[in-house]
Amino acid sequence: MSERVHNDDGTFGSKLTEQDVLKAFDYKTGPEEPMLTTKEITDALAEHFDIEVSSETVRRWLGEMESDGKVASKKFGASAVGWTALVGPRLADDV
């Protein structure tokens, strides 16, 4: 799945990738906070990668990634959902 991202001027920019979503977990999760909300992932993509996408786009990605066994979710209360990565992002070739 590849989602084109809107730039501030309304044109299409770079594409959101599964690896971007996984990297967001690396930036924001830790032993004290192993799960993220969709909004926290959306905010991490904007802050660390300059990728502006809607929470709905991230939610769709997470649903597909959960089906593939790459992330897991847990419901908290009536509507809150926490997400955790089950795999790490792929390392760059030069690492």
Side-chain angles (χ1 to χ4, degrees), residues 53-74:
V53 292
S54 69
S55 290
E56 183 56 37
T57 296
V58 172
R59 195 176 348 273
R60 277 196 317 267
W61 270 95
L62 291 166
E64 288 190 24
M65 292 171 70
E66 185 171 37
S67 295
D68 293 340
K70 295 177 181 161
V71 299
S73 66
K74 182 176 180 179

Side-chain angles (χ1 to χ4, degrees), residues 12-75:
F12 284 108
S14 62
K15 295 179 180 183
L16 177 64
T17 68
E18 187 176 89
Q19 294 302 306
D20 295 327
V21 175
L22 291 172
K23 288 187 286 187
F25 282 101
D26 277 357
Y27 275 92
K28 295 295 183 179
T29 59
E32 300 84 30
E33 196 171 336
M35 300 191 98
L36 298 175
T37 65
T38 303
K39 171 129 176 49
E40 290 171 324
I41 296 166
T42 303
D43 292 346
L45 290 167
E47 179 183 347
H48 297 287
F49 308 109
D50 292 323
I51 297 174
E52 299 286 337
V53 292
S54 69
S55 290
E56 183 56 37
T57 296
V58 172
R59 195 176 348 273
R60 277 196 317 267
W61 270 95
L62 291 166
E64 288 190 24
M65 292 171 70
E66 185 171 37
S67 295
D68 293 340
K70 295 177 181 161
V71 299
S73 66
K74 182 176 180 179
K75 290 189 178 194

